[in-house]
Amino acid sequence: MDSKEYRKELGFSNKTTLQTYFKAKDIKQPNWPKIALCNDRLREIFTKLNNVVSDDIKLKNIEEFCKKIDFAFSIMKENGIIEKLNNQGREPDDVYYNWMRGYLVCEYFMPAIAKILGIKEKSIRHIGNDDLTNIKTFARSATADLEILVSAVKKIRLEIQAGYTGVNDIKQSKILEAKRIYDLEKTESYIVHFDLFNGLAAIINITNFYRIPESSYHKAFENTNVLTIKNEWFKWKLKENLNTFKDLEIKSV
């Protein structure tokens, strides 16, 4: 009996699959105690953030806002989503924490974004592909998080991002998607990036950023092409009173 036949009788026709099996790398059991601590950390983060931002950003009832953590967690756990989370080989609890952190940033700053645009919050619509109940659609994609009706005849798309270490980038895939959407329906796309490490935010119209030369990009953690957000693009200071969207936005490179 040769090695190939031996592995086949074990139930594995693929070498890599058997290697993974022997190493138990295929077992992705979430670390539930760690996730509980992560949820506590998220409550701490947004409570601290709410204490230092300007009064016109500050939420009146941060305890009520933090209930979104338990609500989203319970839906994901009940539907078996957390166990299946995997991004570049990372552990499910790590992927969960990063997703939840981004989700909460979007939810927390939506009222402030509505004020900056001078619109009602109900004019903001979620259009991202994250479905808390379905792992098939719970995935990162180039699709923007929000679509906003700024007038009866005009809408824009916003991709909400956040940085937590002082490193702030835009994925090239987001820029290419912005071009595709504009070519398709003449809708402009913006990145709203919150640098929570430095207390700043940038509102960047990326609709025409496809013109940026390839040499301007560099490789990031997930081996994807990214563009560094320049320091001068951060016009929004989170401790200062809100300004208008027109005054804060970056229109071109």
Side-chain angles (χ1 to χ4, degrees), residues 100-158:
M100 183 69 81
R101 192 170 54 176
Y103 163 72
L104 292 171
V105 166
C106 184
E107 292 293 305
Y108 180 85
F109 284 104
M110 263 206 296
I113 290 170
K115 289 178 183 177
I116 286 171
L117 284 163
I119 62 172
K120 294 182 179 179
E121 197 174 336
K122 65 180 181 182
S123 298
I124 303 176
R125 186 168 69 94
H126 285 274
I127 57 171
N129 286 340
D130 289 341
D131 181 348
L132 297 182
T133 66
N134 186 355
I135 191 62
K136 291 182 179 179
T137 57
F138 188 93
R140 295 184 179 186
S141 73
T143 305
D145 296 309
L146 307 173
E147 187 174 81
I148 298 177
L149 295 174
V150 293
S151 71
V153 294
K154 183 182 179 181
K155 64 182 179 182
I156 61 174
R157 289 190 170 203
L158 299 185

Side-chain angles (χ1 to χ4, degrees), residues 61-112:
N61 192 337
I62 191 63
E63 293 80 11
E64 187 66 25
F65 171 82
C66 286
K67 290 180 181 179
K68 292 177 182 285
I69 300 169
D70 296 324
F71 179 72
F73 168 72
S74 63
I75 291 176
M76 293 170 72
K77 187 174 183 180
E78 288 169 9
N79 288 277
I81 298 295
I82 298 173
E83 293 89 332
K84 299 171 185 175
L85 294 178
N86 183 19
N87 188 313
Q88 301 293 322
R90 290 153 56 198
E91 294 300 318
D93 36 277
D94 182 37
V95 180
Y96 163 82
Y97 177 70
N98 285 322
W99 179 87
M100 183 69 81
R101 192 170 54 176
Y103 163 72
L104 292 171
V105 166
C106 184
E107 292 293 305
Y108 180 85
F109 284 104
M110 263 206 296

Side-chain angles (χ1 to χ4, degrees), residues 4-242:
K4 185 176 181 180
E5 185 64 25
Y6 163 77
R7 289 192 294 270
K8 188 173 181 181
E9 290 199 10
L10 284 177
F12 298 87
S13 58
N14 182 281
K15 289 182 180 180
T16 302
T17 303
L18 180 55
Q19 290 170 345
T20 301
Y21 176 80
F22 279 151
K23 293 178 180 179
K25 294 293 186 181
D26 56 320
I27 300 174
K28 296 293 183 181
Q29 179 63 34
N31 184 334
W32 296 112
K34 180 182 176 182
I35 288 177
L37 291 174
C38 285
N39 286 341
D40 289 340
R41 176 60 53 84
L42 290 166
R43 278 184 276 272
E44 288 179 10
I45 288 172
F46 283 89
T47 299
K48 289 177 181 292
L49 179 66
N50 199 58
N51 286 335
V52 301
V53 296
S54 66
D55 287 343
D56 47 0
I57 296 176
K58 198 183 301 289
L59 300 182
K60 293 180 179 179
N61 192 337
I62 191 63
E63 293 80 11
E64 187 66 25
F65 171 82
C66 286
K67 290 180 181 179
K68 292 177 182 285
I69 300 169
D70 296 324
F71 179 72
F73 168 72
S74 63
I75 291 176
M76 293 170 72
K77 187 174 183 180
E78 288 169 9
N79 288 277
I81 298 295
I82 298 173
E83 293 89 332
K84 299 171 185 175
L85 294 178
N86 183 19
N87 188 313
Q88 301 293 322
R90 290 153 56 198
E91 294 300 318
D93 36 277
D94 182 37
V95 180
Y96 163 82
Y97 177 70
N98 285 322
W99 179 87
M100 183 69 81
R101 192 170 54 176
Y103 163 72
L104 292 171
V105 166
C106 184
E107 292 293 305
Y108 180 85
F109 284 104
M110 263 206 296
I113 290 170
K115 289 178 183 177
I116 286 171
L117 284 163
I119 62 172
K120 294 182 179 179
E121 197 174 336
K122 65 180 181 182
S123 298
I124 303 176
R125 186 168 69 94
H126 285 274
I127 57 171
N129 286 340
D130 289 341
D131 181 348
L132 297 182
T133 66
N134 186 355
I135 191 62
K136 291 182 179 179
T137 57
F138 188 93
R140 295 184 179 186
S141 73
T143 305
D145 296 309
L146 307 173
E147 187 174 81
I148 298 177
L149 295 174
V150 293
S151 71
V153 294
K154 183 182 179 181
K155 64 182 179 182
I156 61 174
R157 289 190 170 203
L158 299 185
E159 170 78 23
I160 309 300
Q161 298 184 170
Y164 308 93
T165 63
V167 177
N168 305 293
D169 299 314
I170 303 172
K171 288 184 178 180
Q172 187 179 35
S173 60
K174 306 292 184 184
I175 292 170
L176 295 177
E177 173 70 1
K179 180 182 185 303
R180 187 187 72 83
I181 291 298
Y182 188 78
D183 289 345
L184 185 67
E185 56 186 60
K186 298 299 182 250
T187 298
E188 294 186 336
S189 296
Y190 291 78
I191 293 287
V192 182
H193 185 96
F194 294 93
D195 178 357
L196 297 185
F197 189 78
N198 293 306
L200 303 169
I203 300 176
I204 310 162
N205 186 334
I206 61 168
T207 307
N208 293 316
F209 270 40
Y210 66 90
R211 297 171 179 167
I212 294 174
E214 199 71 23
S215 59
S216 299
Y217 293 92
H218 66 275
K219 294 292 184 182
F221 167 70
E222 296 173 352
N223 200 35
T224 54
N225 286 339
V226 298
L227 179 73
T228 298
I229 300 174
K230 297 179 180 180
N231 291 335
E232 57 265 32
W233 294 352
F234 288 97
K235 295 184 176 183
W236 180 358
K237 297 181 180 180
L238 300 182
K239 286 181 62 67
E240 296 182 0
N241 290 338
L242 292 174

